[in-house]
Coordinates of all heavy atoms in Angstrom, one line a residue:
M1 N -4.6 -7.7 -13.3 CA -3.7 -6.7 -12.8 C -2.9 -7.4 -11.7 O -3.5 -8.1 -10.9 CB -4.4 -5.5 -12.3 CG -3.3 -4.6 -11.7 SD -4.0 -3.1 -10.5 CE -5.5 -2.6 -11.4
Q2 N -1.6 -7.1 -11.7 CA -0.8 -7.7 -10.6 C -0.5 -6.5 -9.6 O -0.4 -5.4 -9.8 CB 0.6 -8.2 -11.1 CG 0.5 -9.4 -12.0 CD 1.9 -10.0 -12.3 OE1 2.7 -9.3 -12.5 NE2 1.9 -11.3 -12.5
V3 N -0.5 -7.1 -8.4 CA -0.2 -6.2 -7.2 C 1.0 -6.6 -6.4 O 1.4 -7.7 -6.4 CB -1.4 -6.0 -6.3 CG1 -2.6 -5.3 -7.1 CG2 -1.9 -7.3 -5.7
A4 N 1.6 -5.8 -5.6 CA 2.7 -6.0 -4.7 C 2.1 -6.1 -3.3 O 1.2 -5.2 -2.9 CB 3.9 -5.0 -4.8
V5 N 2.6 -7.0 -2.6 CA 2.2 -7.2 -1.1 C 3.3 -6.9 -0.3 O 4.5 -7.5 -0.4 CB 1.7 -8.7 -0.9 CG1 1.2 -8.8 0.6 CG2 0.5 -8.9 -1.8
Y6 N 3.2 -6.0 0.7 CA 4.3 -5.6 1.6 C 3.7 -6.1 3.2 O 2.7 -5.6 3.5 CB 4.4 -4.1 1.7 CG 5.1 -3.7 0.4 CD1 4.4 -3.4 -0.7 CD2 6.5 -3.4 0.5 CE1 5.1 -3.0 -1.9 CE2 7.2 -3.1 -0.7 CZ 6.4 -2.8 -1.9 OH 7.0 -2.3 -3.0
D7 N 4.6 -6.9 3.7 CA 4.3 -7.5 5.1 C 4.8 -6.3 6.1 O 5.9 -6.0 5.9 CB 5.1 -8.7 5.2 CG 4.5 -9.6 6.3 OD1 3.4 -9.5 6.7 OD2 5.4 -10.4 7.0
T8 N 3.9 -6.0 7.0 CA 4.1 -5.0 7.9 C 3.8 -5.3 9.3 O 2.8 -5.8 9.6 CB 3.3 -3.7 7.5 OG1 3.5 -3.5 6.1 CG2 3.7 -2.5 8.2
Y9 N 4.7 -5.0 10.2 CA 4.7 -5.2 11.6 C 4.9 -3.8 12.3 O 6.1 -3.3 12.1 CB 5.6 -6.2 12.1 CG 5.3 -7.6 11.8 CD1 5.8 -8.2 10.7 CD2 4.6 -8.5 12.7 CE1 5.5 -9.4 10.2 CE2 4.4 -9.7 12.3 CZ 4.8 -10.3 11.1 OH 4.4 -11.5 10.8
V10 N 4.1 -3.3 13.0 CA 4.4 -2.1 13.8 C 4.2 -2.3 15.3 O 3.1 -2.9 15.6 CB 3.4 -0.9 13.4 CG1 3.7 0.3 14.2 CG2 3.7 -0.6 11.9
K11 N 5.2 -2.1 16.1 CA 5.2 -2.3 17.5 C 4.2 -1.3 18.3 O 4.4 0.0 18.0 CB 6.6 -2.2 18.1 CG 6.6 -2.7 19.6 CD 8.1 -2.9 20.0 CE 8.1 -3.5 21.4 NZ 9.4 -3.7 21.8
K12 N 3.3 -1.7 19.0 CA 2.4 -0.8 19.7 C 3.0 -0.4 21.0 O 4.0 -1.0 21.4 CB 1.1 -1.6 20.0 CG 0.3 -1.9 18.7 CD -1.1 -2.4 18.9 CE -1.4 -3.4 20.0 NZ -2.7 -3.9 20.0
K13 N 2.5 0.6 21.7 CA 3.0 1.1 22.9 C 3.0 0.0 24.0 O 3.8 0.1 24.9 CB 2.1 2.3 23.4 CG 2.4 3.5 22.4 CD 1.5 4.7 22.7 CE 1.7 5.8 21.8 NZ 0.9 6.9 22.1
D14 N 2.0 -0.9 24.0 CA 2.1 -1.9 25.0 C 3.0 -3.1 24.7 O 3.0 -4.1 25.4 CB 0.7 -2.5 25.1 CG 0.0 -3.2 24.0 OD1 0.7 -3.4 23.0 OD2 -1.1 -3.5 24.0
G15 N 3.8 -3.0 23.6 CA 4.7 -4.0 23.3 C 4.2 -5.1 22.3 O 5.0 -5.8 21.7
R16 N 3.0 -5.2 22.1 CA 2.4 -6.0 21.1 C 2.6 -5.4 19.7 O 3.0 -4.3 19.5 CB 0.9 -6.4 21.4 CG 0.8 -7.1 22.7 CD -0.6 -7.6 23.0 NE -1.4 -6.2 23.1 CZ -2.7 -6.1 23.0 NH1 -3.4 -7.2 22.7 NH2 -3.3 -5.0 23.3
H17 N 2.2 -6.2 18.7 CA 2.4 -5.7 17.3 C 1.0 -5.7 16.5 O 0.2 -6.5 16.7 CB 3.4 -6.6 16.5 CG 4.7 -6.4 17.0 ND1 5.3 -7.1 18.1 CD2 5.7 -5.7 16.3 CE1 6.6 -6.8 18.0 NE2 6.9 -5.9 17.1
L18 N 1.0 -4.7 15.6 CA 0.0 -4.8 14.6 C 0.6 -5.4 13.4 O 1.8 -5.0 13.0 CB -0.5 -3.2 14.2 CG -1.1 -2.4 15.2 CD1 -1.2 -1.0 14.6 CD2 -2.5 -3.0 15.5
H19 N 0.0 -6.3 12.8 CA 0.4 -7.0 11.6 C -0.6 -6.8 10.6 O -1.7 -7.3 10.8 CB 0.7 -8.5 12.0 CG 1.3 -9.3 10.8 ND1 1.0 -10.7 10.8 CD2 1.9 -9.0 9.7 CE1 1.5 -11.2 9.7 NE2 2.1 -10.2 8.9
F20 N -0.1 -6.3 9.4 CA -1.1 -6.1 8.3 C -0.2 -6.1 7.0 O 1.0 -5.9 7.0 CB -1.8 -4.8 8.4 CG -1.1 -3.6 8.6 CD1 -0.7 -2.8 7.7 CD2 -0.7 -3.1 9.9 CE1 0.0 -1.6 7.9 CE2 0.0 -1.9 10.2 CZ 0.4 -1.3 9.1
D21 N -0.9 -6.4 5.9 CA -0.3 -6.4 4.6 C -0.7 -5.0 3.9 O -2.0 -4.7 4.1 CB -0.7 -7.5 3.7 CG -0.1 -8.8 4.1 OD1 1.0 -8.8 4.8 OD2 -0.6 -9.8 3.7
I22 N 0.1 -4.3 3.3 CA -0.2 -3.2 2.4 C -0.1 -3.7 1.0 O 0.9 -4.2 0.5 CB 0.7 -2.1 2.6 CG1 0.8 -1.6 4.1 CG2 0.4 -0.8 1.7 CD1 1.9 -0.7 4.5
I23 N -1.3 -3.7 0.3 CA -1.4 -4.1 -1.1 C -1.6 -3.0 -2.0 O -2.4 -2.1 -1.8 CB -2.5 -5.2 -1.2 CG1 -2.3 -6.2 -0.1 CG2 -2.7 -5.7 -2.6 CD1 -3.5 -7.2 0.1
V24 N -0.5 -2.9 -3.0 CA -0.6 -1.8 -3.9 C -0.3 -2.2 -5.3 O 0.2 -3.5 -5.6 CB 0.5 -0.7 -3.4 CG1 0.2 -0.1 -2.2 CG2 1.9 -1.4 -3.5
T25 N -0.5 -1.4 -6.3 CA -0.1 -1.7 -7.7 C 1.4 -2.1 -7.7 O 2.2 -1.5 -6.9 CB -0.4 -0.6 -8.7 OG1 0.2 0.5 -8.3 CG2 -2.0 -0.4 -8.8
K26 N 1.9 -2.9 -8.5 CA 3.3 -3.4 -8.5 C 4.2 -2.3 -8.8 O 5.4 -2.4 -8.5 CB 3.5 -4.6 -9.4 CG 3.4 -4.3 -10.8 CD 3.6 -5.6 -11.6 CE 3.6 -5.3 -13.1 NZ 4.0 -6.5 -13.9
D27 N 3.8 -1.1 -9.5 CA 4.8 -0.1 -9.7 C 4.7 1.1 -8.7 O 5.3 2.1 -9.0 CB 4.4 0.5 -11.1 CG 2.9 1.0 -11.3 OD1 2.1 0.7 -10.4 OD2 2.7 1.8 -12.1
T28 N 4.0 0.9 -7.6 CA 4.1 1.9 -6.6 C 5.4 1.9 -5.9 O 6.0 1.0 -5.5 CB 2.9 1.4 -5.5 OG1 1.6 1.5 -6.1 CG2 2.9 2.5 -4.4
R29 N 5.9 3.1 -5.7 CA 7.2 3.3 -5.0 C 7.1 2.9 -3.5 O 6.1 3.2 -2.9 CB 7.7 4.8 -5.2 CG 7.9 5.1 -6.7 CD 8.3 6.6 -6.9 NE 9.4 7.0 -6.0 CZ 10.6 7.2 -6.3 NH1 11.0 7.0 -7.5 NH2 11.5 7.6 -5.4
F30 N 8.3 2.5 -2.9 CA 8.2 2.1 -1.6 C 7.9 3.2 -0.7 O 7.2 3.1 0.3 CB 9.6 1.5 -1.2 CG 9.7 1.0 0.2 CD1 8.9 -0.1 0.6 CD2 10.6 1.5 1.1 CE1 9.0 -0.6 1.8 CE2 10.6 1.1 2.4 CZ 9.8 0.0 2.7
E31 N 8.3 4.4 -1.0 CA 8.1 5.6 -0.1 C 6.6 5.9 0.0 O 6.1 6.2 1.1 CB 8.8 6.8 -0.6 CG 10.3 6.8 -0.5 CD 10.9 5.9 -1.5 OE1 10.4 5.6 -2.5 OE2 12.2 5.5 -1.2
Q32 N 5.9 5.5 -1.1 CA 4.5 5.8 -1.1 C 3.7 4.7 -0.3 O 2.7 4.9 0.4 CB 4.0 5.8 -2.6 CG 2.4 6.2 -2.7 CD 2.1 7.5 -2.1 OE1 2.8 8.5 -2.4 NE2 1.1 7.7 -1.3
V33 N 4.3 3.5 -0.3 CA 3.8 2.4 0.5 C 3.8 2.8 2.0 O 2.9 2.5 2.7 CB 4.5 1.0 0.2 CG1 4.1 -0.1 1.2 CG2 4.4 0.6 -1.2
L34 N 4.9 3.4 2.4 CA 5.0 3.8 3.7 C 4.0 4.9 4.2 O 3.4 4.9 5.2 CB 6.5 4.4 4.1 CG 7.6 3.4 3.9 CD1 8.9 4.0 4.1 CD2 7.3 2.1 4.8
V35 N 3.7 5.8 3.1 CA 2.7 6.8 3.4 C 1.3 6.2 3.5 O 0.6 6.5 4.5 CB 2.7 7.9 2.1 CG1 1.4 8.7 2.2 CG2 4.1 8.7 2.2
F36 N 1.1 5.2 2.7 CA -0.2 4.5 2.8 C -0.3 3.7 4.1 O -1.4 3.8 4.8 CB -0.4 3.4 1.7 CG -0.5 4.0 0.3 CD1 -0.1 3.4 -0.8 CD2 -1.2 5.2 0.1 CE1 -0.3 3.9 -2.1 CE2 -1.3 5.7 -1.1 CZ -0.9 5.1 -2.2
G37 N 0.7 3.2 4.7 CA 0.8 2.4 5.9 C 0.4 3.5 7.0 O -0.3 3.2 8.0
N38 N 1.1 4.6 7.0 CA 0.8 5.7 8.0 C -0.6 6.2 8.0 O -1.2 6.5 9.0 CB 1.9 6.7 7.9 CG 3.3 6.3 8.4 OD1 3.3 5.5 9.3 ND2 4.3 6.6 7.7
S39 N -1.2 6.3 6.8 CA -2.6 6.8 6.7 C -3.4 5.8 7.4 O -4.3 6.1 8.0 CB -2.9 6.9 5.2 OG -2.2 7.9 4.6
Y40 N -3.1 4.5 7.2 CA -3.9 3.4 7.7 C -3.8 3.6 9.3 O -4.8 3.4 10.1 CB -3.5 2.0 7.4 CG -4.0 0.9 8.2 CD1 -5.3 0.6 8.2 CD2 -3.2 0.3 9.0 CE1 -5.8 -0.4 9.0 CE2 -3.6 -0.7 9.9 CZ -4.9 -1.1 9.8 OH -5.3 -2.1 10.6
L41 N -2.6 3.7 9.8 CA -2.5 3.8 11.2 C -3.2 5.0 11.8 O -3.7 4.9 13.0 CB -1.0 4.0 11.7 CG -0.1 2.7 11.5 CD1 1.4 3.0 11.8 CD2 -0.7 1.7 12.4
Q42 N -3.4 6.0 11.1 CA -4.2 7.2 11.6 C -5.5 6.8 11.9 O -6.2 7.3 12.7 CB -4.1 8.4 10.6 CG -2.8 9.0 10.6 CD -2.7 10.2 9.7 OE1 -3.7 10.4 8.9 NE2 -1.5 10.8 9.6
T43 N -6.0 5.8 11.1 CA -7.4 5.3 11.2 C -7.6 4.4 12.5 O -8.8 4.3 13.0 CB -8.0 4.6 10.0 OG1 -7.3 3.4 9.9 CG2 -7.8 5.4 8.7
K44 N -6.6 4.0 13.0 CA -6.4 3.2 14.2 C -6.2 3.9 15.4 O -6.0 3.3 16.5 CB -5.4 2.0 14.0 CG -5.5 1.1 12.7 CD -7.0 0.5 12.6 CE -7.1 -0.7 13.5 NZ -8.5 -1.3 13.3
R45 N -6.2 5.3 15.4 CA -5.9 6.1 16.5 C -4.5 5.7 17.1 O -4.5 5.7 18.3 CB -7.1 6.0 17.5 CG -8.3 6.6 17.0 CD -9.4 6.5 18.0 NE -9.5 5.1 18.4 CZ -10.5 4.6 19.0 NH1 -11.3 5.4 19.6 NH2 -10.4 3.3 19.5
G46 N -3.5 5.5 16.2 CA -2.2 5.1 16.7 C -1.4 6.3 17.0 O -0.5 6.6 16.2
E47 N -1.6 7.2 17.9 CA -0.8 8.2 18.3 C 0.7 7.9 18.3 O 1.1 7.2 19.1 CB -1.2 9.0 19.7 CG -2.7 9.5 19.5 CD -3.0 10.1 20.9 OE1 -2.1 10.7 21.5 OE2 -4.1 10.2 21.2
G48 N 1.4 8.6 17.5 CA 2.8 8.4 17.4 C 3.4 7.2 16.8 O 4.6 7.1 16.7
L49 N 2.5 6.2 16.4 CA 2.9 5.1 15.7 C 3.2 5.4 14.2 O 2.3 6.1 13.5 CB 2.0 3.9 15.7 CG 1.8 3.4 17.2 CD1 0.7 2.2 17.1 CD2 3.1 3.0 17.8
L50 N 4.3 5.0 13.7 CA 4.6 5.2 12.3 C 5.2 3.9 11.6 O 5.9 3.1 12.3 CB 5.7 6.3 12.1 CG 5.4 7.7 12.5 CD1 6.5 8.6 12.5 CD2 4.2 8.2 11.7
V51 N 4.9 3.7 10.4 CA 5.5 2.6 9.5 C 6.8 3.2 9.0 O 6.9 4.2 8.3 CB 4.6 2.2 8.4 CG1 5.3 1.1 7.6 CG2 3.2 1.7 8.9
S52 N 7.8 2.5 9.4 CA 9.2 2.8 8.9 C 9.7 1.8 8.0 O 9.1 0.7 7.8 CB 10.2 3.0 10.1 OG 10.5 1.7 10.7
H53 N 10.9 2.1 7.3 CA 11.5 1.1 6.5 C 11.7 -0.3 7.2 O 11.6 -1.3 6.5 CB 12.9 1.6 6.0 CG 12.8 2.7 5.1 ND1 11.7 3.5 4.8 CD2 13.7 3.3 4.3 CE1 11.8 4.4 4.0 NE2 13.1 4.3 3.6
K54 N 12.1 -0.3 8.5 CA 12.3 -1.5 9.2 C 11.1 -2.3 9.4 O 11.1 -3.5 9.7 CB 13.2 -1.3 10.4 CG 12.4 -0.5 11.5 CD 13.2 -0.3 12.7 CE 12.4 0.5 13.7 NZ 12.3 0.0 15.0
D55 N 9.9 -1.6 9.5 CA 8.6 -2.3 9.8 C 7.9 -2.9 8.5 O 7.1 -3.7 8.7 CB 7.6 -1.3 10.3 CG 8.2 -0.6 11.6 OD1 8.8 -1.2 12.4 OD2 7.9 0.7 11.7
C56 N 8.3 -2.5 7.4 CA 7.6 -3.0 6.1 C 8.5 -3.5 5.1 O 9.5 -3.0 4.8 CB 7.0 -1.7 5.6 SG 6.0 -2.0 4.1
R57 N 8.2 -4.7 4.8 CA 9.0 -5.5 3.8 C 8.3 -6.0 2.6 O 7.1 -6.5 2.7 CB 9.6 -6.7 4.5 CG 10.5 -6.4 5.6 CD 12.0 -6.2 5.3 NE 12.8 -6.2 6.5 CZ 13.6 -5.1 6.7 NH1 13.6 -4.1 5.8 NH2 14.3 -5.0 7.7
F58 N 8.8 -5.9 1.4 CA 8.3 -6.4 0.2 C 8.1 -8.0 0.5 O 9.1 -8.6 0.9 CB 9.0 -6.1 -1.1 CG 8.5 -6.9 -2.2 CD1 7.4 -6.5 -2.9 CD2 9.2 -8.1 -2.7 CE1 6.9 -7.1 -4.0 CE2 8.7 -8.7 -3.7 CZ 7.5 -8.4 -4.4
S59 N 6.9 -8.6 0.2 CA 6.7 -10.0 0.3 C 6.6 -10.6 -1.1 O 7.4 -11.5 -1.3 CB 5.4 -10.2 1.0 OG 5.1 -11.6 1.2
H60 N 5.6 -10.3 -1.8 CA 5.6 -11.0 -3.2 C 4.6 -10.2 -4.2 O 4.0 -9.1 -3.7 CB 4.9 -12.3 -3.0 CG 3.6 -12.4 -2.3 ND1 3.4 -12.3 -0.9 CD2 2.4 -12.6 -2.8 CE1 2.1 -12.4 -0.7 NE2 1.5 -12.5 -1.8
I61 N 4.6 -10.6 -5.4 CA 3.7 -10.2 -6.5 C 2.6 -11.2 -6.6 O 2.9 -12.3 -6.7 CB 4.4 -9.9 -7.8 CG1 5.5 -8.9 -7.6 CG2 3.4 -9.5 -8.9 CD1 5.1 -7.4 -7.5
T62 N 1.3 -10.7 -6.7 CA 0.2 -11.7 -6.9 C -0.9 -10.9 -7.8 O -0.8 -9.7 -8.0 CB -0.4 -12.1 -5.5 OG1 -1.2 -13.3 -5.8 CG2 -1.2 -11.0 -4.9
E63 N -1.8 -11.8 -8.3 CA -2.9 -11.2 -9.1 C -3.8 -10.5 -8.1 O -4.2 -11.1 -7.1 CB -3.6 -12.4 -9.8 CG -2.8 -12.9 -11.0 CD -2.6 -11.8 -12.1 OE1 -3.4 -11.0 -12.4 OE2 -1.5 -11.8 -12.6
I64 N -4.5 -9.5 -8.6 CA -5.4 -8.8 -7.7 C -6.8 -9.5 -7.6 O -7.1 -10.4 -8.5 CB -5.7 -7.4 -8.3 CG1 -6.3 -6.4 -7.3 CG2 -6.5 -7.4 -9.6 CD1 -6.4 -5.0 -7.7
I65 N -7.4 -9.4 -6.5 CA -8.8 -10.0 -6.3 C -9.7 -8.9 -6.3 O -9.4 -7.8 -5.8 CB -8.8 -11.0 -5.1 CG1 -8.5 -10.3 -3.8 CG2 -7.8 -12.1 -5.3 CD1 -8.7 -11.2 -2.6
P66 N -11.0 -9.1 -6.4 CA -12.0 -8.1 -6.6 C -12.1 -7.3 -5.2 O -12.3 -6.1 -5.2 CB -13.3 -8.7 -6.9 CG -12.9 -10.0 -7.7 CD -11.5 -10.4 -7.0
R67 N -12.0 -7.9 -4.2 CA -12.1 -7.2 -2.8 C -11.1 -6.2 -2.7 O -11.2 -5.0 -2.1 CB -12.0 -8.3 -1.8 CG -12.0 -7.7 -0.3 CD -12.1 -8.8 0.7 NE -11.1 -9.8 0.3 CZ -10.4 -10.6 1.3 NH1 -10.6 -10.3 2.5 NH2 -9.7 -11.6 0.9
W68 N -9.9 -6.3 -3.2 CA -8.7 -5.4 -3.0 C -8.9 -4.3 -4.1 O -8.5 -3.1 -4.0 CB -7.4 -6.0 -3.3 CG -7.1 -7.1 -2.5 CD1 -7.7 -7.4 -1.2 CD2 -6.1 -8.1 -2.6 NE1 -7.1 -8.6 -0.6 CE2 -6.0 -9.0 -1.5 CE3 -5.2 -8.3 -3.7 CZ2 -5.2 -10.1 -1.4 CZ3 -4.3 -9.4 -3.5 CH2 -4.3 -10.3 -2.4
E69 N -9.4 -4.7 -5.3 CA -9.4 -3.8 -6.5 C -10.2 -2.6 -6.2 O -9.7 -1.4 -6.7 CB -9.9 -4.4 -7.8 CG -9.8 -3.8 -9.0 CD -10.2 -4.5 -10.3 OE1 -10.8 -5.6 -10.1 OE2 -9.8 -4.1 -11.3
I70 N -11.4 -2.6 -5.7 CA -12.1 -1.4 -5.5 C -11.4 -0.4 -4.6 O -11.3 0.8 -4.9 CB -13.4 -1.8 -4.8 CG1 -14.3 -2.6 -5.7 CG2 -14.2 -0.6 -4.3 CD1 -15.4 -3.5 -5.1
Q71 N -10.8 -0.9 -3.5 CA -10.0 0.0 -2.7 C -8.7 0.6 -3.3 O -8.4 1.8 -3.2 CB -9.6 -0.7 -1.4 CG -10.7 -0.9 -0.4 CD -11.1 0.3 0.4 OE1 -10.5 1.4 0.4 NE2 -12.1 0.2 1.2
I72 N -8.1 -0.3 -4.0 CA -6.8 0.2 -4.7 C -7.2 1.3 -5.8 O -6.5 2.3 -5.9 CB -6.1 -1.0 -5.3 CG1 -5.4 -1.8 -4.2 CG2 -4.9 -0.5 -6.3 CD1 -4.9 -3.1 -4.6
L73 N -8.3 1.1 -6.5 CA -8.7 2.0 -7.6 C -9.1 3.4 -6.8 O -8.8 4.5 -7.4 CB -9.8 1.5 -8.4 CG -9.3 0.4 -9.3 CD1 -10.5 -0.2 -10.0 CD2 -8.3 0.9 -10.4
R74 N -9.8 3.3 -5.7 CA -10.2 4.5 -5.0 C -9.1 5.1 -4.2 O -9.1 6.4 -4.2 CB -11.5 4.2 -4.1 CG -12.2 5.3 -3.6 CD -13.4 5.0 -2.9 NE -13.0 4.6 -1.4 CZ -13.5 3.8 -0.7 NH1 -14.5 3.1 -1.1 NH2 -13.0 3.6 0.5
K75 N -8.3 4.5 -3.4 CA -7.4 5.0 -2.5 C -5.9 4.9 -2.9 O -5.1 5.5 -2.3 CB -7.6 4.4 -1.1 CG -8.9 4.7 -0.5 CD -9.3 4.0 0.8 CE -8.5 4.4 1.9 NZ -8.8 3.7 3.2
G76 N -5.8 3.9 -3.8 CA -4.2 3.6 -4.1 C -3.7 2.4 -3.4 O -2.6 2.0 -3.7
Y77 N -4.5 1.9 -2.3 CA -3.9 0.7 -1.7 C -5.0 0.0 -1.0 O -6.2 0.6 -0.9 CB -3.0 1.2 -0.5 CG -3.6 2.2 0.5 CD1 -3.8 1.5 1.8 CD2 -3.8 3.5 0.4 CE1 -4.5 2.4 2.7 CE2 -4.4 4.3 1.3 CZ -4.6 3.7 2.6 OH -5.2 4.4 3.6
Y78 N -4.7 -1.2 -0.4 CA -5.7 -2.0 0.4 C -4.9 -2.5 1.6 O -3.7 -2.9 1.4 CB -6.2 -3.2 -0.5 CG -7.2 -4.0 0.3 CD1 -8.4 -3.7 0.4 CD2 -6.7 -5.2 1.0 CE1 -9.4 -4.6 1.2 CE2 -7.5 -6.0 1.6 CZ -8.9 -5.7 1.8 OH -9.7 -6.6 2.5
I79 N -5.6 -2.5 2.8 CA -4.8 -3.0 3.9 C -5.6 -4.3 4.3 O -6.8 -4.4 4.5 CB -5.0 -2.0 5.1 CG1 -4.4 -0.8 4.8 CG2 -4.5 -2.7 6.4 CD1 -2.8 -0.8 4.8
H80 N -4.8 -5.3 4.3 CA -5.3 -6.7 4.7 C -4.8 -6.8 6.2 O -3.6 -7.1 6.5 CB -4.8 -7.8 3.9 CG -5.2 -9.2 4.2 ND1 -6.6 -9.6 4.2 CD2 -4.6 -10.1 4.9 CE1 -6.6 -10.8 4.6 NE2 -5.6 -11.2 5.0
E81 N -5.8 -6.7 7.1 CA -5.5 -6.7 8.5 C -5.3 -8.2 8.9 O -6.1 -9.1 8.6 CB -6.6 -6.2 9.4 CG -6.8 -4.7 9.1 CD -8.0 -4.1 9.9 OE1 -9.1 -4.8 10.1 OE2 -7.9 -3.0 10.3
L82 N -4.2 -8.4 9.7 CA -3.8 -9.8 10.1 C -4.0 -10.0 11.7 O -4.7 -10.7 12.1 CB -2.4 -10.1 9.6 CG -2.4 -10.2 8.1 CD1 -1.0 -10.2 7.6 CD2 -3.2 -11.4 7.5
E83 N -3.0 -9.3 12.4 CA -3.1 -9.6 13.9 C -3.0 -8.2 14.6 O -2.3 -7.3 14.2 CB -1.8 -10.3 14.3 CG -1.7 -11.7 13.7 CD -0.3 -12.3 14.0 OE1 0.0 -12.6 15.1 OE2 0.4 -12.4 13.0
G84 N -3.8 -8.1 15.6 CA -3.9 -6.9 16.6 C -4.5 -5.8 16.0 O -4.4 -4.7 16.5
C85 N -5.1 -5.8 14.9 CA -5.7 -4.6 14.1 C -7.0 -4.3 14.4 O -7.5 -3.2 14.1 CB -5.4 -4.8 12.6 SG -3.8 -4.9 12.0
R86 N -7.8 -5.3 14.9 CA -9.2 -5.1 15.2 C -9.7 -4.8 16.6 O -10.8 -5.0 17.0 CB -10.0 -6.3 14.6 CG -9.7 -6.4 13.2 CD -10.5 -7.6 12.6 NE -10.0 -7.7 11.1 CZ -10.7 -8.4 10.3 NH1 -11.6 -9.1 10.7 NH2 -10.3 -8.4 9.0
E87 N -8.7 -4.4 17.4 CA -9.1 -4.1 18.8 C -9.9 -2.8 18.9 O -9.5 -1.8 18.1 CB -7.8 -3.9 19.7 CG -7.0 -5.3 19.7 CD -5.7 -5.2 20.4 OE1 -5.4 -4.0 20.7 OE2 -5.0 -6.1 20.2
K88 N -10.9 -2.7 19.7 CA -11.8 -1.6 19.8 C -11.3 -0.4 20.6 O -11.7 0.7 20.5 CB -13.2 -2.0 20.2 CG -13.7 -3.0 19.2 CD -15.2 -3.2 19.6 CE -15.8 -4.3 18.7 NZ -17.1 -4.2 18.5
K89 N -10.4 -0.6 21.5 CA -9.9 0.4 22.4 C -8.8 1.3 21.9 O -8.4 2.2 22.4 CB -9.3 -0.3 23.7 CG -10.3 -0.9 24.6 CD -9.8 -1.3 25.9 CE -10.8 -1.7 26.8 NZ -10.2 -2.0 28.2
G90 N -8.4 1.1 20.7 CA -7.4 1.9 20.1 C -6.0 1.3 20.4 O -5.9 0.1 20.9
I91 N -5.0 1.9 20.1 CA -3.6 1.4 20.2 C -2.9 2.0 21.4 O -2.4 1.6 22.2 CB -2.8 1.9 19.0 CG1 -3.4 1.2 17.7 CG2 -1.4 1.4 19.1 CD1 -2.9 1.8 16.5

């Protein structure tokens, strides 16, 4: 199965950025990708932070890997955390 990867940067209240990829089936509509990104931000306790069109860009299509597949089949998306996403104090 092929998936689409969306490169996403969201500016935090302290001026730093959360950088993560939103990975979805290649036929997922962009508006749904934004919904998935915002669902992820809710898990990070990011009060008032939203993924907008300017924060999220299509990057590429690639073959799915098993680690992503389980989440995509269950939730519709997989988040690959890159920078600033694993802080314990919240956003």
Side-chain angles (χ1 to χ4, degrees):
M1 175 194 318
Q2 291 190 323
V3 292
V5 179
Y6 288 82
D7 195 31
T8 308
Y9 289 86
V10 177
K11 190 171 187 178
K12 299 189 319 185
K13 293 176 183 178
D14 65 5
R16 295 181 296 158
H17 285 86
L18 292 173
H19 179 202
F20 54 94
D21 288 341
I22 304 169
I23 303 167
V24 296
T25 59
K26 69 179 185 175
D27 59 341
T28 302
R29 295 175 51 100
F30 183 64
E31 291 76 19
Q32 187 63 44
V33 173
L34 297 177
V35 170
F36 291 150
N38 287 320
S39 293
Y40 166 71
L41 285 180
Q42 289 179 359
T43 71
K44 303 306 280 182
R45 297 179 302 191
E47 291 182 34
L49 296 181
L50 296 173
V51 176
S52 71
H53 290 10
K54 66 180 177 132
D55 302 320
C56 183
R57 302 265 187 241
F58 172 77
S59 177
H60 61 280
I61 299 284
T62 191
E63 289 296 321
I64 197 166
I65 61 173
R67 179 174 40 147
W68 303 342
E69 187 171 18
I70 294 166
Q71 287 281 357
I72 290 172
L73 291 173
R74 195 174 82 214
K75 296 171 69 175
Y77 66 99
Y78 178 85
I79 299 293
H80 180 70
E81 295 178 325
L82 296 165
E83 298 174 68
C85 298
R86 297 186 183 189
E87 297 171 4
K88 296 187 183 205
K89 287 187 173 182
I91 300 172

